[in-house]
Amino acid sequence: MNNDFPIGVFDSGVGGLSVLKHLVRIMPNERYIYLGDTARVPYGNKSPETVQQYSQQCAQFLLSHQVKVVIIACNTASAVALEAVRQISPVPVIGVIQPSAEAALRATKNGTIGIIGTRATVGSNAYAHEIQTLTTTEHINVVGQACPLFVPLAEEGWIAHPATRAIAEEYMKPLKAENVDTLVLGCTHYPLLTETLQLAMPGVTLIDPGEHAAEVTRRVLTTKHALAHTQEIPSTRIDYYVTDIPATFPQVAKQFLGFDVPMPLLVSIEQLGRL
Ligand code: DGL
């Protein structure tokens, strides 16, 4: 593994920029390649087989750019395709599930953890499995709730809109009934709704997967002595690729990343399929 190789990040679309944001924040000296499969988004309502095939293609694209690590920013892909991607990757593959499960276990006091995500993520029970694998405590209760309406609301920029608040109240009802004290925002888009979710769930600790996946990535690269050689001036360089360029890309991307994003390069899904 060469220190100067880039870090590869992929997602079903633009949402994964919420993970890239944390990577760039804690490792500003790295180079990054981001691939958003915008032509085939959403992954959250597709079958595991389809998400596995798409994820392998996205990972293969990053590997063809000699990345030193592959980050699966998408919760849905992390939930159902982590093993499929690991099978084809000669470099470490980091998903968002394990880092968030570890963080949730550290945070919970009453042992009741809520998971919100796409239907595919919640239906996979990947978070519950991971949490049970990581703990010897029998009294951990994991409550899942799919919140499919949050993705379009976040992309629309309706972050604190009354409609979003009302929908959040509705989705949070079963989690409140179970008295969750920790809530994993298990979808790339949900960190954008933090304020609204915190209002709906006062006193509950919210877990942002991007933050914890970024920490784990830094740990893995540190252990492998593969961090970029430190430079005095941060020189983050990010190459953005997408499989389709939606007209709204610049605005939506900026919402997720917090800074202006240049026009991405296009890679067709035919190209991805040929890799
Ligand atoms: N990136 C997806 C996730 O984190 C959300 C969008 C989609 O359904 O593809 O689960």
Side-chain angles (χ1 to χ4, degrees):
M1 198 189 288
N2 187 315
N3 300 60
D4 297 324
F5 286 172
I7 292 175
V9 183
F10 81 85
D11 177 51
S12 56
V14 285
L17 296 173
S18 69
V19 177
L20 182 67
K21 177 179 154 184
H22 288 289
L23 288 160
V24 170
R25 178 178 56 77
I26 69 165
M27 291 177 288
N29 291 331
E30 298 287 339
R31 284 173 52 218
Y32 295 90
I33 297 187
Y34 180 89
L35 172 63
D37 194 2
T38 42
R40 299 187 291 198
V41 71
Y43 283 8
N45 52 17
K46 295 196 168 65
S47 70
E49 293 73 22
T50 299
V51 176
Q52 283 155 11
Q53 187 199 357
Y54 291 176
S55 300
Q56 283 185 331
Q57 290 174 351
C58 290
Q60 202 64 64
F61 173 80
L62 296 174
L63 291 166
S64 72
H65 284 75
Q66 285 201 304
V67 295
K68 59 185 173 186
V69 60
V70 172
I71 320 287
I72 308 182
C74 179
N75 275 262
T76 304
S78 298
V80 304
L82 180 67
E83 282 318 312
V85 174
R86 283 196 170 142
Q87 272 167 24
I88 60 155
S89 176
V91 302
V93 178
I94 297 169
V96 288
I97 308 282
Q98 189 180 334
S100 322
E102 284 169 353
L105 279 168
R106 281 195 301 272
T108 186
K109 298 208 163 51
N110 71 1
T112 306
I113 299 171
I115 308 294
I116 52 174
T118 62
R119 287 194 202 288
T121 298
V122 173
S124 74
N125 278 323
Y127 272 104
H129 284 138
E130 193 61 48
I131 287 170
Q132 301 305 346
T133 308
L134 289 168
T135 180
T136 47
T137 314
E138 278 169 21
H139 305 296
I140 299 288
N141 180 22
V142 180
V143 190
Q145 169 72 35
C147 305
L149 294 173
F150 281 164
V151 168
L153 288 167
E155 290 203 6
E156 207 53 37
W158 287 23
I159 306 303
H161 191 283
T164 310
R165 293 220 165 117
I167 290 166
E169 287 294 341
E170 200 59 36
Y171 277 147
M172 295 305 118
K173 273 185 191 161
L175 300 164
K176 275 185 174 162
E178 294 278 346
N179 197 25
V180 308
D181 74 344
T182 303
L183 180 65
V184 178
L185 310 185
C187 171
T188 47
H189 290 58
Y190 300 176
L192 253 62
L193 305 177
T194 296
E195 211 183 297
T196 295
L197 289 166
Q198 194 69 81
L199 275 173
M201 298 294 273
V204 168
T205 306
L206 305 184
I207 305 290
D208 177 348
E211 194 182 324
H212 302 284
E215 290 293 346
V216 168
T217 304
R218 179 164 61 180
R219 224 183 299 146
V220 167
L221 292 176
T222 305
T223 310
K224 293 189 175 299
H225 306 288
L227 283 170
H229 294 301
T230 312
Q231 290 154 14
E232 279 176 23
I233 302 164
S235 60
T236 309
R237 215 191 79 203
I238 312 171
D239 293 328
Y240 299 93
Y241 291 88
V242 287
T243 49
D244 180 54
I245 306 185
T248 52
F249 183 85
Q251 301 94 282
V252 180
K254 190 176 179 183
Q255 277 195 85
F256 281 97
L257 210 45
F259 52 83
D260 281 323
V261 180
M263 233 19 195
L265 296 167
L266 191 63
V267 46
S268 70
I269 43 180
E270 288 74 29
Q271 261 171 282
L272 282 191
R274 279 199 299 271
L275 287 167

